[in-house]
Amino acid sequence: MDFRDRSLPDGINPMNFPAKLWRLVNNPLNEGISWDIHGEVILIDQHLFEKQILSPRANTSPDAFKTTNFSSFVRQLNLYGFKKVDQPIKQLDTLQDIINL
Amino acid sequence: MDFRDRSLPDGINPMNFPAKLWRLVNNPLNEGISWDIHGEVILIDQHLFEKQILSPRANTSPDAFKTTNFSSFVRQLNLYGFKKVDQPIKQLDTLQDIINL
DNA sequence: GGGAATATTCCC
DNA sequence: GGGAATATTCCC
């Protein structure tokens, strides 16, 4: 039988942007970046993200970036096909919210 | 009359590599990088350069690089036309040295 | 958002 | 050393 770590698909360089983004968004300690309730959209709180991920002091993590500029991070998102969503996805806490979607 | 700062030629972006290199090599506080006695060759002490310029702690200077790898610094030198000199230039302290050159 | 210039990394 | 991939910056 064939068991192996499927935390990342094959062929993805673990130090490149997509892999870092994957780890960052899946780490619940990173409050500045998370999945929306449907797991289809990445939610980013710019202020928290800058403070927790981009600030020079946060540079101990292997997932840190060399840039400290939020705009450069967004440039990377765009280069990898991410687009800003027109209407921000709200946090859906209740069934009623989902019905009203 | 026309007086102005000639510390860098016109058209040189002061935050790009050539300008940073110019300031680094001309600053006598940077012991890891200096001119040879003829002012034609840049002398680099890798160990001192890494310690004083490339180390993460040195990143307060506007002339700091984002890389901490000496090899990446050398890649930049090569991209701007610098080549390693075959025989290292020795420090010439006396007239006799110059005669013997 | 994205094209292009520049910097950094990776690899031959 | 340098080509090419990737990251970062600059600018429209």
Side-chain angles (χ1 to χ4, degrees), chain B residues 19-58:
Chain B
K20 286 186 179 182
L21 183 66
W22 176 255
R23 289 189 297 269
L24 288 172
V25 71
N26 286 324
N27 183 347
L29 293 178
N30 298 324
E31 300 163 275
I33 181 168
S34 55
W35 291 107
D36 83 299
I37 198 174
H38 301 112
E40 291 171 351
V41 170
I42 293 177
L43 306 174
I44 296 175
D45 178 317
Q46 177 172 355
H47 180 257
L48 275 178
F49 190 83
E50 287 174 331
K51 194 167 146 187
Q52 300 183 338
I53 310 292
L54 297 179
S55 94
R57 287 184 297 90

Side-chain angles (χ1 to χ4, degrees), chain B residues 4-101:
Chain B
R4 54 178 153 165
D5 182 4
R6 281 290 181 197
S7 53
L8 273 180
D10 292 340
I12 300 292
N13 184 321
M15 290 315 289
N16 283 7
F17 183 81
K20 286 186 179 182
L21 183 66
W22 176 255
R23 289 189 297 269
L24 288 172
V25 71
N26 286 324
N27 183 347
L29 293 178
N30 298 324
E31 300 163 275
I33 181 168
S34 55
W35 291 107
D36 83 299
I37 198 174
H38 301 112
E40 291 171 351
V41 170
I42 293 177
L43 306 174
I44 296 175
D45 178 317
Q46 177 172 355
H47 180 257
L48 275 178
F49 190 83
E50 287 174 331
K51 194 167 146 187
Q52 300 183 338
I53 310 292
L54 297 179
S55 94
R57 287 184 297 90
N59 274 13
T60 42
S61 163
D63 289 341
F65 302 104
K66 289 188 183 299
T67 188
T68 58
N69 303 313
F70 189 72
S71 59
S72 292
F73 172 71
V74 173
R75 186 74 195 85
Q76 280 285 74
L77 286 173
N78 290 330
L79 280 167
Y80 282 96
F82 290 87
K83 312 258 186 186
K84 190 172 186 178
V85 173
D86 305 317
Q87 302 168 288
I89 308 296
K90 297 202 201 74
Q91 187 70 39
L92 302 178
D93 285 321
T94 67
L95 183 59
Q96 191 62 44
D97 286 329
I98 293 171
I99 292 167
N100 290 338
L101 195 61

Side-chain angles (χ1 to χ4, degrees), chain A residues 70-89:
Chain A
F70 189 73
S71 59
S72 293
F73 172 72
V74 173
R75 186 73 195 86
Q76 280 285 72
L77 286 173
N78 290 330
L79 281 167
Y80 282 96
F82 291 86
K83 311 260 183 183
K84 190 172 188 180
V85 173
D86 305 316
Q87 303 167 287
I89 309 295

Side-chain angles (χ1 to χ4, degrees), chain A:
Chain A
M1 268 180 285
D2 176 24
F3 295 97
R4 55 177 155 162
D5 183 5
R6 281 292 183 195
S7 54
L8 271 181
D10 293 339
I12 300 292
N13 183 320
M15 290 315 289
N16 282 5
F17 183 81
K20 286 187 179 183
L21 182 66
W22 176 256
R23 290 190 297 270
L24 289 172
V25 71
N26 285 324
N27 184 346
L29 293 178
N30 297 324
E31 300 163 275
I33 180 169
S34 56
W35 291 107
D36 82 299
I37 197 172
H38 302 112
E40 292 171 349
V41 170
I42 293 177
L43 306 173
I44 297 174
D45 178 318
Q46 177 172 356
H47 180 257
L48 276 177
F49 190 84
E50 287 173 330
K51 193 167 146 189
Q52 300 182 339
I53 310 293
L54 297 179
S55 94
R57 286 184 297 92
N59 274 14
T60 41
S61 163
D63 289 341
F65 301 104
K66 289 190 183 299
T67 186
T68 57
N69 302 313
F70 189 73
S71 59
S72 293
F73 172 72
V74 173
R75 186 73 195 86
Q76 280 285 72
L77 286 173
N78 290 330
L79 281 167
Y80 282 96
F82 291 86
K83 311 260 183 183
K84 190 172 188 180
V85 173
D86 305 316
Q87 303 167 287
I89 309 295
K90 294 201 203 76
Q91 187 72 38
L92 302 177
D93 285 322
T94 68
L95 182 58
Q96 192 61 44
D97 285 329
I98 294 171
I99 292 168
N100 291 338
L101 196 61

